[in-house]
């Protein structure tokens, strides 16, 4: 028979009667064993929302979809959150985020740049509106929070009803926290003594290089491990029964910017391993899905539970905590984690209604016509072929740098350019070109720089880039879908360099693949000097490409490359690939073209 309250009371009464009878015939009564006090609660978590409120792709102007049929956006997350709260009881839940909130969609861009929240009587940021309405309790800072500058971030912080946490975001002058390091939350139990839950926020030290222009001299970002080691004992001494870290840092222990900083970019696993006193870590930044990952702390031998929900609101993490009252305090007995898929629910109509007007404004904005194109251009084959659509990015960048350097000391040097295939679904149609078409080529808020490099350095740069391809012997069949992303290298860390001619021999091992490298029909002179038009992420060390981060900066722009492309299309009126496209690189095997 299943055990419920009625059967439990009934069996207890029978047992009690039996004990009374036994006592009457002289048996010694058994001593009553007090039941331990227990309490359970759930912490829900999101990360890397990147400006997604609705299940909508503003670059394609239609409902978001991918091969796995994932859905995105806070409107979906809101429905999941409501269901969890209904099941667990609102007072037995918390909702937190691990950062990268206000950058990534044209919705977030619009309210940072087009109709900025910083303007006098400006609007409230849609992400603040949505997260306030859903009822977030705390959020860690992500590195992309700094993309639009500190004033925009501070205004967003002011508009949020919950704290933005960053224990390792320090004022550069005082070295004191520039944001609240932690938040403390009380959960009421049936036993009188509240459970005190501390949330420690940690952000990514890569901000110091990725957004150097915005934070240099204003903020510094020490390592996650050292700041966690400083704050966790303090939180425990303040009476925290449970300590959760919300870390905008992946779990792998790696860095994408090489030795540019002495701190690890993806340090969440190291924090769990090295800092005692942490019960769980909500992981962000890496854009991977980790339902549950356990790391044993070296000092205590206890497991720390990590979970990373998939980006853009595709998943919601649930940390389920079971606590027991022991020796006058609450102790964590068990922690488990799982993720819920947002494609299993409908959008919350409350959020849809709240932000419908903002959504429609942005849809109208991205559909503005800015010019025409004489041909269709697509990134579908760009990861393995020199495609006109990538040449377009590079051509605009090179022209912009040439114009900036005109009349100066470096005006006579040839200008090259690097670009990546950021999206395999970007497309410029034949006929009318809209803002969304041009913006879709460059979904990141990167800006443009000019760096001075030699021919020898450029060859090493290209060799490093070519590690992106899986080594494929001559004669073996080639499947494009399996040819790229070797070693987990993302598409945005493969650069094509415009202005040089070269072959990439994928039959050779990484590091010795660049052959027939030439400039203007002649073998590249290792000593020759070139100007490289490069995005600020790469120039700051992103991707750990050799030489560029240490190269002399000749010029830098504060406008996004995306806007530069949009303005170029407007100025030209017509985009004609015949004016800029050429096949300057190709994949080969022992001299034979792959395609």
């Amino acid at each position: 028979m299943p055990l419920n309250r009625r059967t439990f009371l009934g069996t207890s009464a029978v047992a009690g009667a039996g004990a009374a009878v036994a006592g009457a015939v002289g048996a010694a009564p058994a001593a009553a064993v007090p039941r331990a006090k227990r309490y359970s609660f759930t912490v829900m978590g999101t990360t890397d929302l990147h400006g997604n409120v609705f299940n909508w792709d503003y670059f394609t102007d239609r409902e978001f979809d991918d091969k796995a049929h994932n859905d995105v956006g806070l409107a979906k997350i809101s429905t999941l959150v409501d269901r969890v709260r209904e099941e667990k009881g609102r007072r037995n839940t918390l909702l937190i985020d691990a950062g990268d909130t206000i950058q990534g969609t044209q919705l977030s861009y619009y309210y940072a740049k087009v109709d900025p929240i910083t303007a006098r009587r400006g609007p409230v940021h849609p992400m603040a509106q949505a997260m306030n309405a859903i009822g977030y309790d705390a959020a860690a800072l992500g590195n992309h929070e700094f993309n639009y500058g500190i004033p925009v971030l501070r205004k967003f912080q002011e508009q949020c009803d919950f704290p933005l946490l960053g224990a390792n975001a320090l004022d550069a002058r005082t070295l004191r926290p520039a944001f609240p390091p932690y938040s403390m939350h009380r959960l009421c139990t049936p036993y009188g003594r509240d459970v005190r839950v501390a949330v420690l926020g940690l952000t990514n030290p890569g901000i110091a290089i990725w957004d150097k222009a915005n934070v240099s001299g204003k903020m510094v970002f020490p390592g996650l491990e050292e700041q966690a080691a400083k704050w966790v004992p303090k939180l425990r001494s303040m009476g925290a029964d449970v300590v959760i870290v919300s870390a905008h840092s992946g779990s792998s222990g790696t860095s994408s910017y090489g030795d540019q900083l002495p701190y690890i970019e993806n340090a969440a696993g190291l924090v769990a391993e090295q800092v005692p006193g942490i019960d769980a870590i909500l992981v962000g930044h890496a854009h991977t899905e980790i339902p549950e990952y356990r790391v044993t702390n070296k000092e205590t031998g206890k497991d720390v539970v990590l979970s990373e929900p998939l980006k853009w609101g595709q998943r919601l993490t649930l940390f389920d905590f079971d606590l027991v009252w022991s020796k006058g305090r609450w102790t964590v007995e068990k922690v488990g984690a799982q993720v819920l898929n947002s494609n299993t629910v409908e959008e919350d109509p409350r959020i849809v209604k709240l932000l419908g007007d903002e959504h429609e404004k942005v849809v109208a904005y991205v559909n503005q016509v800015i010019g025409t194109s004489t041909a269709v251009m697509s990134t579908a084959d760009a990861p393995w072929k020199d495609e006109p659509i990538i040449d377009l990015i590079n051509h605009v960048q090179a022209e912009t740098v040439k114009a900036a350097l005109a009349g100066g000391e470096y005006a006579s040097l040839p200008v090259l350019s690097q670009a990546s295939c950021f999206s395999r679904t970007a497309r410029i149609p034949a006929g009318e070109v809209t803002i969304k078409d041009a913006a879709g080529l460059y979904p990141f808020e990167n800006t443009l720089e000019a760096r001075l490099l030699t021919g020898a350095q450029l060859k090493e740069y290209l060799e490093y880039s070519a590690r992106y391809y899986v080594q494929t012997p001559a004669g073996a069949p080639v499947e494009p879908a399996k040819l790229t992303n070797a070693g987990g290298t993302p598409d945005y860390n493969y650069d094509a360099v415009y202005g040089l001619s070269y072959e990439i021999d994928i039959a050779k091992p990484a590091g010795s693949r660049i052959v027939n490298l030439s400039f203007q029909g002649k073998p590249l002179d290792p000593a020759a000097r070139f100007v490289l038009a490069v995005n600020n992420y790469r120039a700051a060390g992103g991707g750990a490409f050799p030489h560029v981060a240490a190269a002399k900066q000749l010029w830098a722009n504060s406008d996004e490359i995306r806007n530069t492309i949009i303005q170029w299309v407007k100025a030209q009126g017509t985009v004609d690939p015949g004016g800029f496209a050429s096949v300057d690189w190709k994949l080969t095997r022992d001299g034979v073209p792959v395609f």
Side-chain angles (χ1 to χ4, degrees):
M1 180 165 39
L3 189 64
N4 55 35
R5 185 173 183 272
R6 182 177 296 171
T7 56
F8 175 76
L9 291 174
T11 53
S12 297
V14 172
V21 171
V25 296
V33 179
R35 265 196 326 165
K37 298 174 182 177
R38 283 187 162 80
Y39 175 68
S40 298
F41 70 96
T42 297
V43 176
M44 298 173 280
T46 55
T47 190
D48 297 279
L49 293 168
H50 284 288
N52 285 281
V53 172
F54 300 107
N55 189 42
W56 194 260
D57 185 342
Y58 292 96
F59 293 123
T60 61
D61 197 26
R62 60 177 180 262
E63 187 173 296
F64 176 89
D65 195 25
D66 61 12
K67 290 180 180 178
H69 301 299
N70 288 302
D71 287 345
V72 301
L74 279 170
K76 292 265 183 174
I77 289 295
S78 183
T79 302
L80 288 176
V81 167
D82 283 348
R83 290 188 178 184
V84 174
R85 284 172 174 162
E86 184 178 354
E87 177 189 347
K88 308 283 186 180
R90 172 90 185 225
R91 295 174 65 173
N92 301 320
T93 64
L94 293 171
L95 175 59
I96 63 175
D97 184 80
D100 274 7
T101 303
I102 60 171
Q103 174 277 338
T105 64
Q106 285 292 282
L107 179 72
S108 53
Y109 177 82
Y110 186 88
Y111 288 98
K113 292 286 191 175
V114 181
D115 185 10
I117 61 174
T118 49
R120 187 170 178 264
R121 297 180 182 175
V124 177
H125 199 289
M127 294 301 287
Q129 291 191 60
M131 295 174 82
N132 289 342
I134 296 168
Y136 273 77
D137 294 288
L141 293 165
N143 52 284
H144 284 288
E145 259 66 85
F146 293 84
N147 285 174
Y148 297 120
I150 292 174
V152 169
L153 174 54
R154 288 298 191 194
K155 188 63 178 180
F156 175 70
Q157 179 188 25
E158 177 188 314
Q159 293 176 342
C160 290
D161 294 340
F162 52 90
L164 298 182
L165 308 177
N168 62 327
L170 309 181
D171 181 275
R173 185 175 57 84
T174 65
L175 298 184
R176 299 185 65 176
F179 294 84
Y182 66 90
S183 58
M184 191 74 78
H185 309 268
R186 287 181 177 268
L187 299 176
C188 296
T189 75
Y191 306 107
R193 167 71 152 78
D194 295 345
V195 171
R196 286 169 288 194
V197 181
V199 179
L200 178 68
L202 296 170
T203 193
N204 206 288
I207 295 165
I209 54 173
W210 300 325
D211 269 301
K212 183 178 180 180
N214 290 328
V215 301
S216 182
K218 300 171 185 174
M219 293 185 194
V220 294
F221 303 88
L224 283 83
E225 305 101 304
E226 69 173 69
Q227 293 301 303
K230 172 183 175 180
W231 283 101
V232 172
K234 289 185 179 182
L235 296 174
R236 289 292 184 182
S237 70
M238 292 164 59
D241 301 299
V242 180
V243 173
I244 301 166
V245 173
S246 184
H248 193 75
S249 179
S251 61
S252 64
T254 61
S255 285
S256 66
Y257 50 81
D259 58 0
Q260 298 300 308
L261 276 180
Y263 307 118
I264 300 297
E265 176 185 352
N266 296 302
L270 296 174
V271 170
E273 181 184 80
Q274 297 176 13
V275 181
I278 298 169
D279 297 298
I281 301 179
L282 178 65
V283 178
H285 183 63
H287 289 202
T288 57
E289 181 177 341
I290 305 174
E292 183 184 87
Y293 173 48
R294 293 179 178 270
V295 175
T296 302
N297 184 266
K298 283 185 174 180
E299 184 172 325
T300 65
K302 294 181 179 179
D303 278 358
V304 181
V305 177
L306 285 70
S307 180
E308 181 175 5
L310 199 58
K311 65 186 183 297
W312 305 345
Q314 294 179 59
R315 304 288 186 275
L316 175 71
T317 279
L318 303 186
F319 289 107
D320 291 311
F321 290 85
D322 293 332
L323 276 60
V324 62
W325 181 264
S326 177
K327 298 179 181 178
R329 61 188 296 267
W330 288 108
T331 302
V332 175
E333 191 173 48
K334 187 173 68 172
V335 187
Q338 60 177 307
V339 294
L340 303 182
N341 194 328
S342 65
N343 72 4
T344 62
V345 297
E346 297 299 317
E347 292 186 324
D348 185 342
R350 183 173 57 108
I351 303 301
V352 172
K353 181 178 179 181
L354 178 69
L355 291 163
D357 289 346
E358 286 83 347
H359 172 72
E360 292 302 324
K361 281 183 183 178
V362 176
V363 168
Y365 164 74
V366 300
N367 280 287
Q368 292 179 40
V369 175
I370 55 173
T372 60
S373 175
T374 62
V376 174
M377 294 181 282
S378 166
T379 56
D381 294 334
W384 48 83
K385 291 182 181 178
D386 187 351
E387 290 287 289
I389 197 165
I390 303 299
D391 288 342
L392 171 61
I393 299 172
N394 273 320
H395 180 71
V396 172
Q397 291 182 164
E399 273 201 354
T400 303
V401 167
K402 285 177 185 175
L405 298 180
E409 178 183 355
Y410 301 97
S412 62
L413 293 181
V415 177
L416 312 176
S417 179
Q418 62 80 221
S420 304
C421 177
F422 293 116
S423 166
R424 298 192 183 193
T425 59
R427 183 176 179 273
I428 298 291
E432 291 185 342
V433 178
T434 64
I435 285 178
K436 74 173 186 286
D437 298 325
L441 296 181
Y442 224 105
F444 299 105
E445 272 68 42
N446 292 342
T447 57
L448 188 61
E449 296 189 16
R451 297 284 178 129
L452 185 64
L453 293 171
T454 66
Q457 290 174 328
L458 284 163
K459 184 175 188 300
E460 290 183 30
Y461 187 101
L462 288 170
E463 288 286 8
Y464 182 85
S465 184
R467 70 196 175 103
Y468 171 72
Y469 294 106
V470 175
Q471 188 173 2
T472 308
V478 173
E479 294 183 57
K482 297 180 179 179
L483 187 61
T484 62
N485 307 103
T489 303
D491 292 347
Y492 63 76
N493 275 340
Y494 170 65
D495 287 357
V497 173
Y498 178 82
L500 298 176
S501 294
Y502 56 98
E503 297 173 11
I504 302 173
D505 191 331
I506 60 173
K508 298 181 185 295
S512 58
R513 291 177 168 174
I514 303 301
V515 294
N516 297 326
L517 178 58
S518 64
F519 173 68
Q520 294 183 345
K522 298 179 181 178
L524 185 69
D525 180 357
R529 298 195 305 167
F530 297 87
V531 176
L532 181 67
V534 59
N535 69 54
N536 68 307
Y537 171 77
R538 188 71 78 237
F545 277 63
H547 305 301
V548 66
K552 182 180 178 63
Q553 184 191 75
L554 308 182
W555 173 81
N557 191 9
S558 61
D559 199 16
E560 293 93 352
I561 293 169
R562 174 168 58 207
N563 274 347
T564 303
I565 295 171
I566 290 170
Q567 296 306 318
W568 185 88
V569 173
K570 283 183 176 180
Q572 295 292 315
T574 301
V575 179
D576 180 3
F580 54 79
S582 59
V583 178
D584 295 320
W585 65 270
K586 59 187 174 184
L587 302 184
T588 60
R589 290 182 295 181
D590 295 341
V592 179
V594 175
F595 300 104

